[in-house]
């Protein structure tokens, strides 16, 4: 379900104190020190980027409107337009990169607008590996468990979410049987806002974020999408514009959920929650972000630090999602962090930034 020139100057100032991670890497603390923040990188594009894959501090991929895919290999100093030929009418909302050369990108929409492309040569060439032919399906997000196995998520068809599966790095896809999927609520769907409505951890576990119905829920699979369990969350729903928009995983046990109401004129109270049992139970944030957030990511090698982003700003948690503080007022839709602490964010009007001391 759908939901000016950049400079290298800091965007806003963190309103949080310096952090010590104890035995953790010093660079984790430096990224949350008073002068740290998002540094915009000139993308040379006006597309809105909701798909983002952080490979490292130097390499990242973004995907967005008008079939646009960009890639940097020098920390954002230069961005190469590697958009698939003939994709200008498509809306890319998710991209998963295995490394600097191999990536899979998802286009969303009803019927044949939902497609998957893959590249093995840093975008020099692309292959369309899936095109949806069911007019009832609308694919929102994709995720990979490893370099070979992955799944993609469609909004409910015949009352159940549809799961697409690959076992060959996205070269081919098949629809999984739906008998292990719980029934969807009336009006329930996933939000294609940041590529984080479907996330995975480990070799078999994945989670789905939902909204638009009476209750905002999270679904979990431990067998790569064949069977699912479902849990209610405390994030407000009850409206097509409300629910859980993004999930972030520290590991297979600790999960963050963020969301709210994406309409800019509507408040989003209680729009964050945390789980420490793989999503079986959820605790609302004691001090959630003050507005709707569409993306979230844990800082690597940290047990407590995570960021959330949205069109009205970015927030930092120092305590594993229980309390959040706004540190930036810029508009972003998605965020992702690489193992080397390369944290990137992207959003409207070609905005791309990296978290820097």
């Amino acid at each position: 379900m759908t939901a000016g020139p950049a400079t290298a100057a800091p965007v806003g100032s963190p309103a949080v104190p310096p952090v010590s991670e104890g035995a953790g890497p010093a660079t984790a603390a430096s990224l949350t020190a008073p002068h740290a923040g998002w540094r915009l990188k000139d993308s040379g594009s006006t597309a809105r980027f909701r798909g983002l894959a952080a490979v490292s501090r130097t390499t990242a991929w973004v995907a967005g409107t008008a079939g646009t895919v960009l890639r940097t290999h020098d920390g954002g100093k230069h961005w190469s337009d590697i958009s698939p030929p003939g994709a200008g009418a498509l809306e890319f909302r998710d991209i998963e990169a295995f490394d600097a050369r191999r990536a899979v990108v998802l286009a969303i929409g009803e019927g044949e607008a939902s497609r998957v492309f893959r590249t093995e040569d840093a975008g020099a060439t692309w292959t369309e590996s899936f095109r949806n032919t069911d007019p009832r399906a609308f694919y929102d997000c994709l995720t990979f468990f490893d370099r070979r196995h992955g799944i993609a998520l469609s909004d409910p068809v015949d009352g159940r979410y549809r799961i697409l599966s690959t076992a060959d790095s996205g070269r081919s896809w098949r629809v999984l049987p739906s008998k292990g999927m719980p029934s969807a609520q009336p009006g329930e769907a996933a939000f294609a806002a940041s590529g984080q409505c479907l996330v995975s951890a480990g070799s078999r576990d994945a989670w789905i974020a939902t909204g638009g119905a009476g209750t905002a829920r999270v679904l979990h699979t431990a067998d790569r999408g064949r069977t699912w369990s479902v849990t209610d969350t405390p994030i407000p729903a009850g409206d097509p514009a409300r629910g859980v928009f993004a999930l972030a995983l520290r590991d297979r046990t600790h999960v963050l959920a963020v969301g709210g109401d994406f309409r800019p004129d509507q408040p989003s109270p209680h729009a964050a929650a945390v789980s420490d049992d793989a999503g079986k139970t959820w605790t609302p944030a004691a001090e959630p972000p003050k507005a709707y957030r569409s993306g979230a990511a844990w800082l690597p090698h940290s047990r407590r630090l995570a960021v959330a982003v949205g069109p009205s700003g970015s927030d930092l948690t120092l305590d594993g999602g229980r309390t959040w503080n706004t540190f930036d007022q810029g508009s972003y839709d998605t965020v992702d962090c690489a193992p080397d602490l390369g944290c990137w964010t992207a959003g409207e009007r070609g905005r791309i930034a990296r978290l820097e001391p």
Side-chain angles (χ1 to χ4, degrees):
M1 181 171 63
T2 58
T7 68
V11 187
S13 299
V16 295
V19 173
S20 173
E21 276 289 287
T27 47
S30 70
L31 291 179
T32 57
H35 299 291
W38 297 122
R39 266 63 173 185
L40 279 168
K41 309 296 179 179
D42 187 358
S43 72
S45 174
T46 59
R48 185 166 194 168
F49 296 116
R50 296 182 186 266
L52 168 64
V55 175
S56 67
R57 287 187 59 79
T58 57
T59 301
W61 307 62
V62 293
T65 55
T68 306
V69 179
L70 306 183
R71 173 185 170 275
T72 184
H73 62 83
D74 58 8
K77 294 179 182 178
H78 304 91
W79 292 87
S80 300
D81 186 339
I82 54 171
S83 306
L90 300 178
E91 292 280 333
F92 289 139
R93 294 293 181 93
D94 199 356
I95 186 167
E96 302 291 328
F98 304 118
D99 49 42
R101 297 183 59 80
R102 294 179 294 174
V104 177
V105 63
L106 172 73
I108 69 159
E110 297 177 348
E112 293 192 358
S114 285
R115 306 182 194 181
V116 177
F117 297 81
R118 63 185 305 277
T119 182
E120 294 185 333
D121 54 14
T125 61
W126 292 88
T127 301
E128 181 182 307
S129 60
F130 171 76
R131 182 179 299 200
N132 174 47
T133 58
D134 189 334
R136 303 169 298 169
F138 185 115
Y139 286 86
D140 299 288
C141 296
L142 59 84
T143 189
F144 276 82
F145 304 99
D146 52 41
R147 290 175 180 265
R148 293 180 56 205
H149 300 90
I151 55 176
L153 169 70
S154 166
D155 285 336
V157 176
D158 294 330
R160 299 176 190 269
Y161 287 98
R162 176 170 288 182
I163 302 296
L164 196 65
S165 176
T166 181
D168 56 10
S169 305
R171 292 179 178 87
S172 63
W173 299 83
R174 67 184 183 93
V175 175
L176 294 182
S178 62
K179 61 182 180 181
M181 176 68 71
S183 297
Q185 301 174 91
E188 189 178 35
F191 293 104
S194 61
Q196 294 177 322
C197 61
L198 174 66
V199 296
S200 59
S203 62
R204 306 186 72 83
D205 290 81
W207 291 257
I208 295 171
T210 80
T215 303
R217 308 192 299 172
V218 170
L219 285 72
H220 172 236
T221 180
D223 56 13
R224 293 182 181 163
R226 290 171 177 80
T227 61
W228 298 79
S229 58
V230 63
T231 305
D232 294 348
T233 77
I235 292 181
D239 185 278
R242 298 177 190 156
V244 181
F245 280 72
L247 299 170
L249 298 163
R250 192 184 87 193
D251 48 44
R252 292 178 59 250
T253 300
H254 297 86
V255 193
L256 296 176
V258 299
D261 190 319
F262 69 71
R263 295 170 295 191
D265 61 339
Q266 296 296 315
S268 290
H270 316 299
V274 60
S275 173
D276 60 6
D277 57 8
K280 295 177 182 177
T281 61
W282 292 88
T283 301
E287 296 180 24
K290 295 178 174 59
Y292 155 72
R293 295 295 180 252
S294 55
W298 289 89
L299 269 68
H301 319 299
S302 169
R303 298 179 61 85
R304 297 176 294 169
L305 307 180
V307 292
V309 302
S312 65
S314 300
D315 302 278
L316 174 72
T317 178
L318 309 180
D319 54 14
R322 289 165 179 80
T323 62
W324 296 84
N325 293 282
T326 301
F327 72 90
D328 185 276
Q329 304 295 330
S331 175
Y332 298 105
D333 293 307
T334 187
V335 59
D336 191 28
C337 291
D340 69 349
L341 285 168
C343 290
W344 298 81
T345 189
E348 62 181 347
R349 298 192 299 273
R351 290 170 60 87
I352 308 172
R354 190 177 67 181
L355 191 62
E356 299 177 6

